[in-house]
Amino acid sequence: MVQTPNKQLTHLKNIPNGYPVVGEHIDVKESTIDLEAPLEEGAILLKIHIISADPFMRSPMKGNDSGSFFPPYLIGQPVYGVTVSSVVKSNNAKFNKDDLVVGITNIEEYTVIGPSNPFFNWLEIRNETKTSGLPLSYAVSVLGMPGQTAYHGLLQVGKPKEGETLYVSAASGAVGQLVGQIGKQRGLKVVGSAGSDEKVAYLKEIGFDEAFNYKKTSSITNTLKELCPNGIDIYFDNVGGEHLEAAIENANRFARFPLCGMVSTYNTKEAVGIRNLMSLMPKHITLEGFGVSDYFQFNDQFTEEVTGWLKEGKIQYRETIAGSIDEAAQAVVDIFHGKNFGKQSIYVSDPSF
Amino acid sequence: MVQTPNKQLTHLKNIPNGYPVVGEHIDVKESTIDLEAPLEEGAILLKIHIISADPFMRSPMKGNDSGSFFPPYLIGQPVYGVTVSSVVKSNNAKFNKDDLVVGITNIEEYTVIGPSNPFFNWLEIRNETKTSGLPLSYAVSVLGMPGQTAYHGLLQVGKPKEGETLYVSAASGAVGQLVGQIGKQRGLKVVGSAGSDEKVAYLKEIGFDEAFNYKKTSSITNTLKELCPNGIDIYFDNVGGEHLEAAIENANRFARFPLCGMVSTYNTKEAVGIRNLMSLMPKHITLEGFGVSDYFQFNDQFTEEVTGWLKEGKIQYRETIAGSIDEAAQAVVDIFHGKNFGKQSIYVSDPSF
Ligand SMILES: NC(=O)c1ccc[n+]([C@@H]2O[C@H](COP(=O)([O-])OP(=O)(O)OC[C@H]3O[C@@H](n4cnc5c(N)ncnc54)[C@H](OP(=O)(O)O)[C@@H]3O)[C@@H](O)[C@H]2O)c1
Ligand SMILES: NC(=O)c1ccc[n+]([C@@H]2O[C@H](COP(=O)([O-])OP(=O)(O)OC[C@H]3O[C@@H](n4cnc5c(N)ncnc54)[C@H](OP(=O)(O)O)[C@@H]3O)[C@@H](O)[C@H]2O)c1
């Protein structure tokens, strides 16, 4: 029984409120794994290549699963998240050695996952990624879960019509930068907000009609009034709170608000209330919460269309990729402070093919 | 030039916050009208028979029209509202003497209205009411605007499916009592809340499966948990605030929330925030504000179906009708304290036919 070193991103302590801190709530710990151990019926052994740092990971840090898709992280155990990996060994007819796999797994260098894991059925074999000529990391970013979220949320929930005005918050992030660019492909006027001047400059560069640094405006409502003189038809909400109230103030009649996330509230001690829902009635605004998995039936259409745009250079996509699993805890924690520029991922290892 | 006495429900003072008070903000004042005066091109002279007391009348009392359909009431002028009247004199080919008219007019004993009035195009000729055998007051209640609101809001926005659970707040009111009964006609489990034990008993009487007095429960959330063990699929929101938060807590995946009104917030000094919108995403809840006028194209279907139910005794409808225009100010003010039982209207005069 040979033990191989196996670093894990480990949950140290639940956080009911406030920001997660490296070393206190989450950290990378040394562990080992026996790569020769026999696999249970249906299980596979994966070698992880890329880890995705995602805002949803704040939710299972709370130690309870109320109001969330996600079961809590267990203290002292590796956390789970979205990864790109390849199959080292398989005891499952569906998976072959060297298959490229994308989905939710434990975050560690090597991991075993089998049918008893609630996320097992979500694992996708993405072998086309080996030969697509596109970066492997795209499988968890523009061509993965954040990309699907942008595409399904804007198209299925937002139901855009050419010429309408779209506002998207956290617009330079993993989801937001694609939302805005899909909006442009569909003939919308696109306005975005982000938390630094560099991010705002990037938004202009990739074709947003207007963009602003929300940290430098005294009133998001007034800024939106200026930048959206015809009002907002679609607000793609990544942030909640003040951004959502300001978008309601500026919404047109029959506006659609795909509610994707509310990252401004994930680490606050007091739940922030939205005070202007009264405007939903005279304006006939629709707020629709959604999860990316509600629309997996449209994933093939998504992959085809977005891959096409990437290859034709019609859209761009910015990622920040940390250089090793040792940086995983910091990378996750940093997204809640907006330190990521574009999609934040972590490189772990190269595939063997 | 003979002047005829003409009492008017008059706006005395704007109310930015708090409850309206008779004599301070609104009152019935003596006035006169010359019934022989020539009518402008397109105008008509109406004799009012029934006045409807509606919660929306709080909105133009604010003295500004932001975020509302409704232009502000003018100080010292008659307020407008929904009335049943008949044509005394017409200078408009569409309207004949003795036509029965329903719509938004000034609230006074006689009133002149013409094409320059923003509500003129909403006036409906409802002569079938003369011979239907149903009370005239129904034209502003179960067969009028509140009835249309219930019908369109539940069917078009709520999209009910047999066997689902519907919760409706302010359930014994003008809109709510019909919402619940339409729900029963469509095969739903129906749960309602109201502000007194008598109202709750009435709800049971007209077929609600469950009903509760929200003033006597320490937690609407927990009460709903008990009364809706399968969760809520549709919440028809008349009240907002705590009721809305509690319905979100108890909502099922893919629940629809037709947002009709938020009467609990109309007279509060501080806007109340809804704090649990984060649950909209994992549950895929849709909040859709609507106005009755967004669905006027379905009014014929509404009139036919609801008239049928009334004639066949399949639904009941409770009204409270004040006995004269002198009581109009008090009747309007009282609805914000829940003193109405069922639809609140005011009798003014009999038609001459
Ligand atoms: N519904 C779903 O299925 C689904 C799937 C994926 C993601 N999401 C949600 O989508 C949103 C975006 O996710 P993502 O993966 O694209 O993350 P991301 O945008 O790449 O990273 C999060 C960004 O949020 C911004 N942010 C953090 N705190 C903020 C605050 N208080 N106010 C305003 N902005 C703040 C920061 O950018 P700035 O520098 O601009 O502040 C940060 O970079 C999140 O709410 C996430 O939970 C939902
Ligand atoms: N969207 C539209 O086009 C449209 C059209 C018509 C009406 N509406 C809205 O629909 C709702 C119901 O209107 P309605 O005409 O049927 O009025 P209603 O229910 O006949 O009268 C209002 C009722 O609201 C309840 N209420 C008052 N303050 C409350 C509070 N703080 N908390 C809980 N309940 C309270 C009272 O009943 P209790 O004794 O039960 O408290 C009162 O009887 C209102 O919000 C109204 O603005 C909207």
Side-chain angles (χ1 to χ4, degrees):
Chain A
M1 195 174 97
V2 185
Q3 293 292 335
T4 301
N6 188 33
K7 288 181 182 167
Q8 302 177 318
L9 183 59
T10 307
H11 184 56
L12 304 179
K13 198 168 96 180
N14 295 333
I15 328 167
N17 284 311
Y19 285 89
V21 174
V22 176
E24 188 178 340
H25 305 107
I26 187 171
D27 211 344
V28 178
K29 294 283 181 190
E30 306 277 354
S31 179
T32 61
I33 184 169
D34 175 6
L35 298 177
E36 305 303 324
L39 291 168
E40 267 178 36
E41 183 65 36
I44 53 180
L45 170 66
L46 298 169
K47 179 176 185 177
I48 290 181
H49 307 308
I50 304 275
I51 297 164
S52 173
D54 287 296
F56 82 79
M57 297 168 76
R58 181 61 182 79
S59 174
M61 292 183 194
K62 283 186 183 158
N64 70 56
D65 58 0
S66 80
S68 170
F69 295 103
F70 297 107
Y73 290 154
L74 302 178
I75 292 173
Q77 298 293 313
V79 309
Y80 57 80
V82 182
T83 61
V84 184
S85 59
S86 56
V87 177
V88 177
K89 234 171 59 179
S90 169
N91 192 8
N92 185 314
K94 197 184 142 195
F95 294 88
N96 296 309
K97 183 162 163 36
D98 286 341
D99 275 351
L100 202 86
V101 172
V102 178
I104 295 180
T105 67
N106 278 350
I107 294 186
E108 47 193 345
E109 291 176 282
Y110 291 94
T111 197
V112 172
I113 182 168
S116 65
N117 185 302
F119 300 116
F120 186 77
N121 287 326
W122 285 12
L123 291 181
E124 288 183 282
I125 299 170
R126 299 278 296 265
N127 287 329
E128 83 284 0
T129 307
K130 297 182 191 177
T131 54
S132 70
L134 295 168
L136 203 58
S137 55
Y138 277 15
V140 292
S141 62
V142 60
L143 292 174
M145 190 272 286
Q148 291 159 355
T149 304
Y151 189 87
H152 303 325
L154 182 61
L155 300 185
Q156 299 300 323
V157 186
K159 300 182 184 74
K161 289 188 282 290
E162 203 179 323
E164 288 188 324
T165 298
L166 163 70
Y167 168 51
V168 52
S169 54
S172 75
V175 174
Q177 62 179 314
L178 191 59
V179 171
Q181 293 182 91
I182 299 170
K184 290 312 299 175
Q185 292 298 324
R186 287 289 192 270
L188 306 181
K189 166 170 176 167
V190 175
V191 178
S193 59
S196 78
D197 292 347
E198 291 71 33
K199 290 178 177 182
V200 167
Y202 170 68
L203 295 177
K204 296 284 188 74
E205 209 180 291
I206 63 175
F208 279 60
D209 297 286
E210 303 283 355
F212 67 98
N213 180 343
Y214 71 91
K215 291 182 180 164
K216 286 196 171 165
T217 170
S218 58
S219 159
I220 301 175
T221 302
N222 291 344
T223 303
L224 286 176
K225 202 155 288 169
E226 266 169 49
L227 300 184
C228 309
N230 296 325
I232 293 169
D233 300 297
I234 304 175
Y235 170 46
F236 192 104
D237 190 17
N238 286 317
V239 168
E242 201 186 336
H243 289 73
L244 177 53
E245 287 189 347
I248 290 173
E249 286 305 306
N250 284 283
N252 288 331
R253 267 182 57 77
F254 296 101
R256 288 84 60 203
F257 282 31
L259 302 187
C260 175
M262 301 193 166
V263 65
S264 75
T265 71
Y266 296 175
N267 301 287
T268 50
K269 299 215 188 293
E270 296 289 318
V272 189
I274 299 298
R275 293 160 298 182
N276 57 352
L277 296 184
M278 265 304 294
S279 297
L280 267 51
M281 280 148 285
K283 294 187 182 179
H284 202 124
I285 301 169
T286 301
L287 308 189
E288 182 169 348
F290 74 98
V292 59
S293 56
D294 301 336
Y295 297 102
F296 279 173
Q297 71 268 33
F298 299 108
N299 277 356
D300 287 348
Q301 181 194 325
F302 153 80
T303 305
E304 194 187 321
E305 188 159 29
V306 176
T307 304
W309 288 335
L310 285 166
K311 292 192 168 171
E312 294 159 31
K314 286 193 177 159
I315 62 172
Q316 296 178 51
Y317 196 78
R318 178 144 191 163
E319 304 182 293
T320 303
I321 303 186
S324 85
I325 194 170
D326 296 322
E327 298 173 43
Q330 194 63 50
V332 168
V333 159
D334 278 354
I335 56 179
F336 300 108
H337 300 280
K339 291 192 187 158
N340 59 315
F341 194 153
K343 167 65 194 164
Q344 179 69 58
S345 295
I346 300 112
Y347 165 85
V348 182
S349 71
D350 285 322
S352 57
F353 40 80
Chain B
M1 193 173 97
V2 184
Q3 292 291 337
T4 301
N6 189 33
K7 289 181 182 167
Q8 303 178 318
L9 182 59
T10 307
H11 184 57
L12 305 179
K13 199 168 97 182
N14 295 333
I15 329 167
N17 283 313
Y19 285 90
V21 174
V22 176
E24 187 177 342
H25 306 106
I26 188 170
D27 212 346
V28 178
K29 293 281 181 194
E30 306 275 356
S31 179
T32 60
I33 185 169
D34 175 6
L35 299 177
E36 306 301 326
L39 291 168
E40 268 180 34
E41 183 65 34
I44 53 181
L45 170 66
L46 298 169
K47 179 174 185 179
I48 290 182
H49 307 308
I50 305 276
I51 297 164
S52 174
D54 287 297
F56 81 79
M57 297 167 75
R58 180 62 183 78
S59 174
M61 292 184 194
K62 284 186 182 156
N64 69 57
D65 59 359
S66 79
S68 170
F69 295 104
F70 297 106
Y73 291 152
L74 302 178
I75 292 173
Q77 298 294 312
V79 310
Y80 59 80
V82 182
T83 60
V84 184
S85 59
S86 55
V87 176
V88 177
K89 234 170 57 179
S90 170
N91 192 10
N92 186 314
K94 198 186 142 192
F95 294 87
N96 295 310
K97 182 161 161 40
D98 286 341
D99 274 351
L100 202 85
V101 172
V102 178
I104 294 179
T105 67
N106 278 351
I107 294 185
E108 46 191 347
E109 291 175 283
Y110 291 93
T111 198
V112 172
I113 182 168
S116 66
N117 184 302
F119 299 115
F120 186 77
N121 286 326
W122 285 11
L123 291 182
E124 287 183 282
I125 299 170
R126 298 279 295 265
N127 287 329
E128 83 286 0
T129 306
K130 297 184 191 176
T131 54
S132 70
L134 295 169
L136 203 58
S137 55
Y138 277 15
V140 291
S141 61
V142 61
L143 293 175
M145 190 271 285
Q148 292 160 354
T149 305
Y151 189 86
H152 303 325
L154 182 61
L155 300 185
Q156 299 300 324
V157 186
K159 300 183 185 72
K161 289 188 282 291
E162 203 180 321
E164 288 188 324
T165 298
L166 163 69
Y167 168 52
V168 51
S169 53
S172 75
V175 174
Q177 61 179 315
L178 192 58
V179 171
Q181 293 182 92
I182 299 170
K184 290 312 299 175
Q185 292 297 325
R186 288 288 192 271
L188 306 182
K189 166 168 175 167
V190 175
V191 177
S193 60
S196 78
D197 292 347
E198 291 70 32
K199 291 178 177 182
V200 168
Y202 170 68
L203 295 177
K204 296 285 187 74
E205 210 179 290
I206 63 175
F208 279 60
D209 297 286
E210 303 283 355
F212 66 98
N213 180 343
Y214 70 90
K215 291 182 180 165
K216 286 196 171 167
T217 170
S218 57
S219 159
I220 301 175
T221 302
N222 290 344
T223 303
L224 286 175
K225 203 155 288 170
E226 266 168 48
L227 300 184
C228 309
N230 297 325
I232 293 168
D233 301 297
I234 303 174
Y235 170 47
F236 192 104
D237 190 17
N238 286 316
V239 168
E242 202 186 336
H243 289 74
L244 177 52
E245 286 189 348
I248 290 173
E249 287 304 307
N250 284 284
N252 288 332
R253 270 185 50 82
F254 296 102
R256 288 84 60 202
F257 282 30
L259 302 187
C260 175
M262 302 193 166
V263 66
S264 75
T265 70
Y266 296 175
N267 301 286
T268 50
K269 300 214 189 294
E270 296 288 320
V272 189
I274 300 297
R275 293 160 298 180
N276 58 352
L277 296 184
M278 264 305 294
S279 296
L280 267 50
M281 281 148 283
K283 295 188 182 178
H284 203 124
I285 300 170
T286 300
L287 307 190
E288 183 169 349
F290 74 97
V292 59
S293 56
D294 300 336
Y295 296 103
F296 278 172
Q297 70 269 33
F298 299 106
N299 277 356
D300 288 347
Q301 180 193 326
F302 154 79
T303 304
E304 194 187 321
E305 188 160 27
V306 177
T307 304
W309 288 335
L310 285 166
K311 292 195 168 169
E312 294 160 29
K314 286 194 177 160
I315 61 171
Q316 296 178 52
Y317 196 78
R318 180 148 190 159
E319 303 182 296
T320 302
I321 302 184
S324 86
I325 195 171
D326 297 321
E327 297 174 45
Q330 194 63 50
V332 168
V333 160
D334 278 354
I335 55 177
F336 300 109
H337 300 280
K339 291 192 187 157
N340 59 315
F341 194 154
K343 168 64 194 165
Q344 180 68 59
S345 294
I346 300 113
Y347 165 85
V348 181
S349 71
D350 286 323
S352 58
F353 39 82

